[in-house]
Amino acid sequence: MKLVRIGEPGQERPAIVDETGVLRDISGYVDDIAGEVLLPQSLEKLRHLPVHSLPKIDGTPRIGACVGRIGKFICIGLNYADHAAETGAAIPAEPVVFSKWTSSVVGPNDAVRIPRGSVKTDWEVELGVVIGKGGSYISEDDALDHVAGYCVINDISEREYQLERGGTWDKGKGCDTFGPIGPWLVTADEIADPQQLNLWLEVDGHRYQNGNTRTMIFTVAQIISYLSRFMSLQPGDVISTGTPPGVGLGQTPPVYLRAGQTMRLGIEGLGEQRQTTVGESL
């Protein structure tokens, strides 16, 4: 299934994408794509809905983040060997973990605001993993059973804030609009192998990132198992699993975003995002 949330910010309602690409309203069955709706038994009920009898959604409504009421937005850094190399970083012995604030979450096609005074706002296409069945101390063998689905994430980052201002990475990662998620949540049964997905990103038509999840240092299963040692994972938690090479920081010389540019990015089978950058108003 491809699950989606449509409507203005804070007023999104749940929908499903039928096999012809038509949006169908499922708000008569669930209130949101969030929380317990992401449990395996709840998703199974949605699979049995009479999709072609559901109300069509006409027009081109705004698409919101594909998961609502996100509890934790957890990210993994330097998780592609070739990306670590382009940034001059050593291959990590364990996953590098940081957080994006949930206030950074926006829809996949919403504008991205460059923070006031920013000179190093950057892009990162990433595979997003949404937890369905929660748990702690999850084994690698069982880890993928805890996945509700997958999505596209743009882990937008302000490199000066992240790397040059002291402290943790988090303040360069969690600015408002720095977490576009979606367009769809594609349920895990539709993705045969999350470690064999092409992903890419363009800025103003120039392709900077072109990678595949097979080059991850730590697999999705390893990441879920690792994180569950330090925190309980809960339905609706989102994990962003790292980016392939081609970020602005890794260019020679580095290239960063400025107002008025367009990012387009996508992952095989998970859809595309498109964002325009705007300056933060004073």
Side-chain angles (χ1 to χ4, degrees):
M1 292 183 295
K2 292 182 175 67
L3 302 173
V4 63
R5 300 169 69 247
I6 61 163
E8 293 307 305
Q11 301 176 37
E12 294 93 346
R13 67 186 193 274
I16 191 168
V17 185
D18 73 18
E19 69 268 20
T20 66
V22 172
L23 294 176
R24 303 275 183 168
D25 193 333
I26 59 172
S27 59
Y29 295 89
V30 294
D31 69 336
D32 203 352
I33 309 301
E36 293 187 355
V37 172
L38 296 164
L39 291 170
Q41 60 269 32
S42 300
L43 293 177
E44 187 61 26
K45 289 179 181 177
L46 293 182
R47 287 189 184 93
H48 290 90
L49 290 178
V51 174
H52 292 287
S53 300
L54 297 172
K56 289 184 180 180
I57 297 169
D58 296 322
T60 54
R62 172 189 174 268
I63 299 175
C66 60
V67 182
R69 303 195 299 270
I70 295 169
K72 295 190 286 294
F73 193 170
I74 313 160
C75 301
I76 306 299
L78 300 173
N79 195 33
Y80 287 69
D82 33 11
H83 170 56
E86 75 172 345
T87 62
I91 299 297
E94 296 188 31
V96 175
V97 180
F98 62 92
S99 295
K100 291 178 86 77
W101 317 126
T102 55
S103 53
S104 72
V105 174
V106 290
N109 303 317
D110 289 345
V112 166
R113 300 202 308 268
I114 296 176
R116 297 180 194 176
S118 167
V119 293
K120 296 184 179 180
T121 295
D122 204 348
W123 57 82
E124 295 189 8
V125 60
E126 305 203 1
L127 173 65
V129 177
V130 178
I131 296 297
K133 182 173 68 174
S136 300
Y137 302 102
I138 299 166
S139 72
E140 284 185 33
D141 289 343
D142 295 335
L144 296 186
D145 294 336
H146 291 257
V147 177
Y150 302 94
C151 60
V152 182
I153 293 177
N154 192 352
D155 174 21
I156 298 165
S157 312
E158 213 297 339
R159 301 301 189 188
E160 183 189 21
Y161 301 174
Q162 176 192 356
L163 301 171
E164 301 173 30
R165 300 279 292 271
T168 67
W169 285 8
D170 298 20
K171 65 177 175 284
K173 293 286 192 171
C175 301
D176 289 357
T177 75
F178 272 25
I181 299 178
W184 315 308
L185 174 64
V186 179
T187 51
D189 58 297
E190 293 200 9
I191 302 300
D193 184 355
Q195 304 307 146
Q196 294 291 333
L197 300 175
N198 293 317
L199 62 172
W200 55 272
L201 181 145
E202 298 174 352
V203 180
D204 291 341
H206 178 82
R207 183 158 295 196
Y208 284 96
Q209 293 190 273
N210 209 22
N212 188 285
T213 55
R214 75 172 68 94
T215 67
M216 281 184 180
I217 299 166
F218 304 102
T219 65
V220 171
Q222 290 172 324
I223 290 167
I224 291 170
S225 178
Y226 181 84
L227 291 175
S228 73
R229 301 178 204 170
F230 306 103
M231 67 193 82
S232 62
L233 296 176
Q234 298 159 337
D237 285 347
V238 174
I239 304 169
S240 201
T241 57
T243 198
V247 300
L249 175 65
Q251 306 304 306
T252 305
V255 176
Y256 296 112
L257 293 166
R258 59 187 186 277
Q261 294 189 291
T262 299
M263 289 178 282
R264 193 167 71 92
L265 57 148
I267 301 178
E268 180 181 0
L270 302 181
E272 296 185 9
Q273 300 184 355
R274 184 183 181 92
Q275 297 113 25
T276 298
T277 56
V278 298
E280 182 73 82
S281 59
L282 297 176

